[in-house]
Amino acid sequence: MARVGVFVCWCGSNIAKTVDVVKVAEAAGKLPSVAYSTDYKYMCSEPGQNLIKQAIEEHKLDRIVVASCSPRLHEPTFRRCISEAGLNPFMLEMANIREHCSWVHDDKEVASEKALDLIAMSVAKAVKNEALFSQEIPLTKKALVIGGGVAGIQVALDIADAGYKVTLVEKTPSIGGRMAQYDKTFPTLDCAACILTPKMVDAASHPNIEIMTYAEVEKVSGFVGNFEVTIRKKARSVDMKKCTGCGVCYEKCPKKLPSEFDCGLGQRKAIYVPFPQAVPNVPVIDRENCRYFADGGKCGVCAKICPSQAVDYTLEDEMITDKYGAIVAATGFQPWDPTPYTNLGYGRYPDVITSLQFERLFNASGPTEGKLVRPSDHKPPKNVVFISCIGSRDDEHGYPYCSKVCCMYNAKHALLLKEKVHDAQAYVFYMDIRANGKGYEEFVRRTIEKYGAIYLRGRVSRVFQDGEKLIVRGVDTLAGKPVEIEADMVVLAAAMEAQPDAKDLARMLGISTDEYNWFSEAHPKLKPVEVLTAGIYLAGACQYPKDIPDAVAQASGAAAKVVGLFAKESLQSEPTVAEVNEDTCVDCQLCKEVCPYTAIDTKTLTDRAGNPIRTVSCVNEGLCHGCGTCVAACRSSSIQLRGFKDNQILSEIDALAFAE
Amino acid sequence: MENELRQKAKELLESGQVKQVIGYEDGSTAFKSTPCFASSPEDADRLVWNPTCVNNLAVYLPSAVKQGKVAVAVKPCDGRSVVELIKEHQINRDDVVTMVVPCPGVLNPDALADIDPKTIKNIEWKGDGISVTTDSGEISIPREKAFLDKCLSCTLTDPAVTNIKLGDSPERSPLKDKDAAIAEYEKMSVDERRVFWAKEFTKCIRCYACRQACPACYCKECFVDKNGQVWALKSTDPEANWFFHMTRAMHLAGRCIGCGECERSCPMGIPLTLIGRTLEKDVEEMFGSGAGQDPDALPILGSFDLTKDPDPCPE
């Protein structure tokens, strides 16, 4: 026979003001199976908890109902309390008579009646409670970081500094990401390379970091603490151990191609390093465009010239499978292609370029070695028009969201333009200036006031070529007048968009994406680096457009989460997870198909000789979040949620429906 | 046709390709055939194919495949049950050989209402309808009277899991709209529907024939058979009956292929296909796909994509 103790909390006046706690506690004492009941001013306080512990001992209570606030607030407190008194923590039920009762009612009599009903339900459920136990789950203390941009590098460094092993996987031949393409960074105008490349080198030389460039994640299985990941290392065609990075191979390579790193403004070879400070400084052969691979082995210049015999055309893709305890996605963004703005002439006029192209044009390691010139005639531009919100805040052509960084880099570009070409004039068409960051607004004001950039609030209707000039027609809505500018160059602040393969990675990781394919965080405010799948975290712009400080801050946040996870000896599974009744399961696998956490798999039951009998579902307790979707889907009620089994729920309903 | 069916069945059994062939054989009377489980080439001679072959034989597959590979005679409608069973992992595609029979429609027992059953000697397809041979001669029954309602509106082609196609598909155009019955039903107000079903469900004697005849009801233990503290009561109270039928309907939503076996097997004449068809129509309208079409499709409940949720739950 169960012996339930009921503890009614006043919560100061929060509950006691609207619920007659003394009377309710008295009435609760008369409920079936209740052996003891009392009330107290603050049940969560130390004397309150001692009261519960003493009562458990004195009255030999085996189940406890605390009638107080939401379990969200104090369930962990009271579970700890009763377990200190020797009970299984899952012998606790909480009746929420605050949020569900006192806070939403005025009439004391009615509220007290309802409070008693809620307590009666909890008592009925508590009687059916079973002791539940956590399982110990092993933990591999090694992290996988996907994406080697500034966010990924920061995550890797922070985790590695805490003493754990990290694998940093990067799709392109070098780490560095977008930031490596930038010239200077707002609002302090530090040179991007000067602050990034030391970090790249730190990552490469860190004893706890293994960098895999030119590699992609191919398959992910498992769960928090125990992911199994297969990584495809694409054939580099250059032996990383032998290569000294001398660069003779790409000097002599006869095949020239537009450079992705320079946004098509410069050229690279078929064997190449994407940029001079690349890490690792080992070239890669772009096999699709290499003459050796196209002509069946005729060219071979790079192999012949290489002083250390590092070029190896026979290398093949390599598959590496390893175990990881945590995964951080830091795959970044891609710049949106502004071609849909046909009125602005991008792709048609050579001097209409994107902001990233502009960035490469005045970068010292860029295609013009830092001389700012027009792509068409290599003359320095005088009048440059910057147009904001290209593909951002624009449902029609691009995305409704704000890309967040464009206002700032427009100001930066307008300022740097004046520094490079002293008699130049910058015009910035904008919708609103969004400069909310440390030193940001001041920076924009400096660009306008000290560097004379002309800011025009309005959109551009059309850009067209007239001789050597680009005519920009727009509107200055503050002056209420149409504007026409004779420009030498037009720079489009293209939106940030999710990586084209973001959705595929999300599917692989079992995480969700929003309607624009940005990865979804677990909670927009309180869990911004977590996702709904335990053990997977987000860093940088793969979640939503971010500038460098935000990306780095989130990266350190993600690293702190990983380090926090790894600081544990092992993981404890949450025992309130789904459980399959193998006797009645018919293997329709609907539970598996509806599970949002891929926590359900099938297993084959065997007889004692090991012969297969039939297949049933089984729950991976490490992956299950206890959401109960499978329970609702199962037609034969063969899957139940521990702590919320049918008989427990039905008891609650009966207590309410058949109350006298 | 019947010879072709027997021949095929014999080949499959002789060569050992299948352990068993499930088809139809003559029943105890000339107006009923009964399922035939042929496990030897000689058994195959008992197979028949005529308008009285009404049963959906897919219902036997989940247990039959446990003994080995099975060949089954299916009408295009029943073939869709096979698709569902594969989709729901109850049978492996490789464990079943479907022999799709050409079906002009199957017998509506009401068609024989005016004939003394004892005098019936044979029933066969003839022209558009059927011909009934009795002691006193041959009676022709036209299509609109001869066949079940589902047959009169049938537009089905060979199922997606066809292995062996017997004969040529008969040329036929539907005589009825398949939603004619529910169009009438949908005219009723919610209150009228409540009254209608209250009356129908009062008739239920909880024999569970509907469940046993249904190829989609393959649970080892039905929710209604559970013991202890349970959601569904076993008594024949109108509310308990209602609860059983509505829960069963929900369990079949998106999975019912409309074979009509539930209604045909109901001894109390409850119009159960009306529930199935109404739900199926909703599923088709809301999810754009019906049951039994693609063996690789995800079940409706499992196909939910959070990112495409038109009304996401606010955080």
Side-chain angles (χ1 to χ4, degrees):
Chain A
M1 189 58 198
R3 292 179 64 83
V4 184
V6 177
F7 298 85
V8 183
C9 180
W10 297 29
C11 195
S13 63
N14 271 306
I15 295 171
K17 195 178 83 181
T18 327
V19 172
D20 188 339
V21 279
V22 179
K23 233 170 86 186
V24 167
E26 251 176 53
K30 293 178 191 127
L31 289 167
S33 303
V34 174
Y36 177 75
S37 79
T38 190
D39 59 277
Y40 187 70
K41 209 158 187 182
Y42 290 105
M43 210 55 89
C44 60
S45 67
E46 208 183 321
Q49 293 191 42
N50 286 338
L51 189 79
I52 298 176
K53 287 179 195 169
Q54 277 163 18
I56 290 174
E57 177 140 359
E58 271 170 40
H59 300 277
K60 298 190 170 42
L61 305 176
D62 56 8
R63 286 155 169 82
I64 300 299
V65 171
V66 178
S68 60
C69 50
S70 162
R72 196 82 204 204
L73 196 63
H74 274 313
E75 193 171 57
T77 314
F78 292 118
R79 273 187 185 165
R80 208 180 314 117
C81 165
I82 73 162
S83 98
E84 279 165 12
L87 295 187
N88 182 285
F90 293 88
M91 289 305 191
L92 171 80
E93 278 304 316
M94 287 190 74
N96 184 353
I97 59 167
R98 194 178 75 173
E99 284 87 339
H100 286 179
C101 189
S102 73
W103 278 359
V104 290
H105 298 298
D106 317 312
D107 187 327
K108 197 160 182 173
E109 197 176 326
V110 181
S112 301
E113 249 173 64
K114 176 170 166 183
L116 185 61
D117 279 346
L118 291 171
I119 292 169
M121 287 168 76
S122 293
V123 169
K125 186 180 175 213
V127 170
K128 298 288 167 71
N129 279 14
E130 302 161 318
L132 302 178
F133 301 93
S134 299
Q135 278 187 357
E136 202 159 287
I137 305 174
L139 170 65
T140 306
K141 297 187 183 187
K142 185 176 178 186
L144 174 70
V145 179
I146 309 170
V150 65
I153 293 171
Q154 186 67 47
V155 177
L157 281 172
D158 286 352
I159 299 173
D161 281 345
Y164 303 108
K165 296 276 177 198
V166 183
T167 301
L168 179 60
V169 174
E170 166 59 40
K171 191 160 65 170
T172 70
S174 169
I175 58 168
R178 290 287 164 206
M179 187 175 168
Q181 290 179 280
Y182 304 156
D183 185 57
K184 293 201 164 61
T185 54
F186 61 75
T188 46
L189 299 181
D190 323 61
C191 140
C194 309
I195 55 176
L196 178 66
T197 43
K199 271 194 189 292
M200 292 162 61
V201 176
D202 282 355
S205 57
H206 203 295
N208 282 341
I209 300 179
E210 179 193 15
I211 296 181
M212 287 191 204
T213 53
Y214 211 45
E216 284 185 67
V217 173
E218 193 87 0
K219 198 177 154 230
V220 179
S221 60
F223 53 94
V224 58
N226 299 276
F227 293 107
E228 193 170 289
V229 182
T230 305
I231 298 163
R232 176 191 291 271
K233 277 182 93 171
K234 288 177 277 184
R236 206 173 185 108
S237 315
V238 175
D239 188 326
M240 303 217 20
K241 288 196 195 91
K242 289 184 188 164
C243 175
T244 60
C246 70
V248 184
C249 53
Y250 49 85
E251 257 169 49
K252 300 293 178 192
C253 173
K255 175 83 180 185
K256 284 182 183 171
L257 297 152
S259 152
E260 294 86 359
F261 189 77
D262 284 333
C263 307
L265 293 173
Q267 288 183 319
R268 66 160 171 89
K269 301 294 183 61
I271 183 166
Y272 69 108
V273 288
F275 55 103
Q277 303 83 6
V279 171
N281 186 21
V282 177
V284 49
I285 294 181
D286 167 6
R287 288 188 173 184
E288 267 175 43
N289 292 300
C290 168
R291 286 194 187 170
Y292 179 90
F293 287 98
D295 297 345
K298 274 192 204 134
C299 175
V301 170
C302 49
K304 276 175 220 149
I305 203 104
C306 176
S308 40
Q309 286 85 47
V311 177
D312 182 353
Y313 301 120
T314 62
L315 286 178
E316 279 176 17
D317 287 7
E318 206 184 327
M319 293 297 207
I320 299 164
T321 301
D322 207 350
K323 285 207 152 219
Y324 294 97
I327 300 176
V328 181
T331 50
F333 70 99
Q334 68 166 6
W336 185 70
D337 176 1
T339 310
Y341 282 93
T342 48
N343 55 332
L344 301 182
Y346 178 76
R348 203 148 21 114
Y349 310 130
D351 297 328
V352 179
I353 59 174
T354 65
S355 297
L356 194 56
Q357 287 178 312
F358 189 73
E359 196 88 41
R360 293 311 301 153
L361 272 185
F362 58 84
N363 184 285
S365 67
T368 57
E369 289 173 342
K371 264 192 283 174
L372 179 60
V373 292
R374 312 202 315 162
S376 63
D377 54 11
H378 294 274
K379 287 185 194 157
K382 197 171 163 299
N383 287 344
V384 180
V385 172
F386 298 91
I387 309 176
S388 303
C389 301
I390 301 299
S392 312
R393 304 177 68 191
D394 185 352
D395 270 336
E396 199 185 327
H397 298 99
Y399 298 102
Y401 57 77
C402 167
S403 291
K404 214 173 163 186
V405 296
C406 323
C407 285
M408 290 310 297
Y409 69 63
N410 267 341
K412 176 184 81 177
H413 290 163
L415 185 149
L416 292 175
L417 167 71
K418 195 78 178 171
E419 288 205 329
K420 287 264 178 196
V421 186
H422 295 308
D423 59 344
Q425 176 62 55
Y427 298 88
V428 182
F429 280 93
Y430 70 100
M431 282 160 70
D432 300 286
I433 302 174
R434 298 189 166 176
N436 47 355
K438 190 174 182 181
Y440 286 13
E441 178 63 20
E442 299 92 311
F443 183 80
V444 174
R445 296 316 312 169
R446 189 146 66 99
T447 303
I448 296 171
E449 286 156 17
K450 295 243 167 68
Y451 288 79
I454 296 173
Y455 268 64
L456 299 158
R457 190 178 195 278
R459 300 294 282 164
V460 170
S461 62
R462 204 177 151 211
V463 175
F464 58 95
Q465 190 100 41
D466 184 14
E468 285 195 354
K469 297 283 182 188
L470 289 163
I471 308 298
V472 180
R473 281 198 186 140
V475 63
D476 178 353
T477 55
L478 296 182
K481 270 195 261 186
V483 194
E484 187 169 300
I485 297 164
E486 269 192 15
D488 301 300
M489 193 183 247
V490 173
V491 182
L492 307 179
M496 289 165 88
E497 69 177 350
Q499 294 281 17
D501 52 359
K503 196 95 186 164
D504 301 329
L505 182 63
R507 210 166 289 133
M508 224 186 287
L509 294 173
I511 65 178
S512 55
T513 54
D514 69 10
E515 56 189 309
Y516 315 113
N517 292 347
W518 300 114
F519 298 147
S520 302
E521 62 281 349
H523 189 282
K525 283 133 199 137
L526 302 177
K527 288 187 176 178
V529 305
E530 295 99 321
V531 298
L532 287 172
T533 307
I536 299 183
Y537 307 94
L538 304 177
C542 58
Q543 181 202 13
Y544 191 73
K546 282 192 189 72
D547 57 16
I548 295 165
D550 281 3
V552 172
Q554 194 188 15
S556 289
K561 291 285 169 191
V562 173
V563 170
L565 179 72
F566 287 180
K568 293 173 186 149
E569 274 305 304
S570 62
L571 297 175
Q572 296 288 313
S573 70
E574 185 64 44
T576 47
V577 293
E579 162 186 287
V580 176
N581 179 348
E582 291 172 355
D583 293 339
T584 58
C585 173
V586 272
D587 186 35
C588 71
Q589 298 182 22
L590 186 60
C591 50
K592 186 179 164 185
E593 278 141 1
V594 299
C595 177
Y597 305 103
T598 55
I600 298 180
D601 214 334
T602 52
K603 73 170 183 190
T604 306
L605 298 179
T606 53
D607 62 16
R608 273 182 289 180
N611 304 310
I613 307 171
R614 57 195 178 86
T615 310
V616 293
S617 292
C618 66
V619 177
N620 181 326
E621 296 195 9
L623 283 175
C624 178
H625 281 50
C627 71
T629 307
C630 53
V631 180
C634 181
R635 293 184 281 268
S636 59
S637 308
S638 297
I639 196 158
Q640 294 272 297
L641 193 60
R642 286 194 204 127
F644 300 90
K645 291 189 174 174
D646 279 358
N647 66 338
Q648 293 174 295
I649 307 290
L650 284 161
S651 294
E652 284 190 282
I653 296 172
D654 288 350
L656 188 63
F658 304 118
E660 284 154 36
Chain B
M1 222 317 293
E2 216 164 67
N3 287 335
E4 203 185 325
L5 174 68
R6 287 174 187 164
Q7 197 50 46
K8 267 286 167 216
K10 257 186 203 165
E11 275 172 39
L12 289 167
L13 287 164
E14 257 162 14
S15 64
Q17 288 180 61
V18 300
K19 273 255 167 137
Q20 188 176 199
V21 175
I22 307 178
Y24 305 90
E25 65 183 305
D26 286 330
S28 49
T29 66
F31 52 89
K32 265 183 193 160
S33 58
T34 192
C36 171
F37 301 88
S39 48
S40 70
E42 298 75 58
D43 290 346
D45 282 329
R46 303 206 311 265
L47 290 168
V48 298
W49 174 236
N50 61 47
T52 65
C53 299
V54 183
N55 304 38
N56 182 350
L57 301 175
V59 72
Y60 301 110
L61 288 176
S63 51
V65 291
K66 285 183 187 143
Q67 270 93 54
K69 197 162 172 169
V70 180
V72 61
V74 289
K75 306 186 282 287
C77 48
D78 306 340
R80 309 212 307 164
S81 284
V82 180
V83 172
E84 278 301 303
L85 289 170
I86 293 169
K87 209 161 111 177
E88 296 172 11
H89 312 275
Q90 297 308 301
I91 49 177
N92 282 326
R93 178 67 188 96
D94 297 338
D95 289 345
V96 61
V97 176
T98 55
M99 303 192 289
V100 179
V101 286
C103 178
V106 290
L107 181 68
N108 181 348
D110 295 347
L112 308 175
D114 303 333
I115 305 171
D116 179 0
K118 279 179 243 149
T119 66
I120 298 173
K121 292 279 167 274
N122 187 39
I123 298 179
E124 61 189 26
W125 285 294
K126 197 171 182 190
D128 242 5
I130 56 170
S131 158
V132 182
T133 312
T134 67
D135 288 343
S136 48
E138 202 174 288
I139 303 165
S140 288
I141 302 176
R143 183 183 170 196
E144 56 272 25
K145 205 180 150 201
F147 299 137
L148 290 173
D149 245 23
K150 67 165 180 179
C151 304
L152 298 178
S153 61
C154 176
T155 55
L156 296 174
T157 49
D158 293 336
V161 291
T162 306
N163 287 112
I164 297 166
K165 189 167 154 57
L166 297 168
D168 297 319
S169 307
E171 290 279 323
R172 53 181 155 71
S173 53
L175 271 184
K176 272 190 177 174
D177 178 42
K178 86 174 157 174
D179 290 333
I182 62 170
E184 277 304 304
Y185 171 69
E186 281 174 341
K187 282 182 197 156
M188 289 192 219
S189 69
V190 173
D191 284 336
E192 284 167 340
R193 289 183 206 189
R194 194 175 289 124
V195 172
F196 172 79
W197 285 117
K199 197 169 137 231
E200 291 296 338
F201 291 143
T202 309
K203 294 194 254 174
C204 177
I205 54 167
R206 300 296 276 277
C207 67
Y208 302 128
C210 49
R211 180 184 80 188
Q212 299 312 110
C214 176
C217 275
Y218 48 70
C219 283
K220 275 168 73 91
E221 190 180 55
C222 180
F223 69 96
V224 81
D225 289 338
K226 299 248 172 217
N227 286 319
Q229 208 164 3
V230 289
W231 297 103
L233 298 178
K234 296 174 179 68
S235 63
T236 52
D237 302 339
E239 287 81 11
N241 285 350
W242 196 309
F243 190 92
F244 165 68
H245 285 287
M246 284 301 115
T247 310
R248 191 175 163 269
M250 287 303 156
H251 286 181
L252 286 166
R255 309 166 57 233
C256 170
I257 57 105
C259 66
E261 289 291 86
C262 47
E263 182 169 322
R264 198 178 63 84
S265 60
C266 178
M268 307 310 289
I270 302 172
L272 291 165
T273 49
L274 195 53
I275 305 175
R277 184 56 209 144
T278 313
L279 259 174
E280 282 320 288
K281 193 174 163 226
D282 284 348
V283 169
E284 281 163 17
E285 280 170 8
M286 284 188 271
F287 299 91
S289 67
Q293 288 162 8
D294 176 5
D296 297 323
L298 279 173
I300 295 294
L301 270 183
S303 64
F304 175 70
D305 181 353
L306 187 66
T307 58
K308 292 194 187 113
D309 186 6
D311 183 22
C313 177
E315 273 286 343

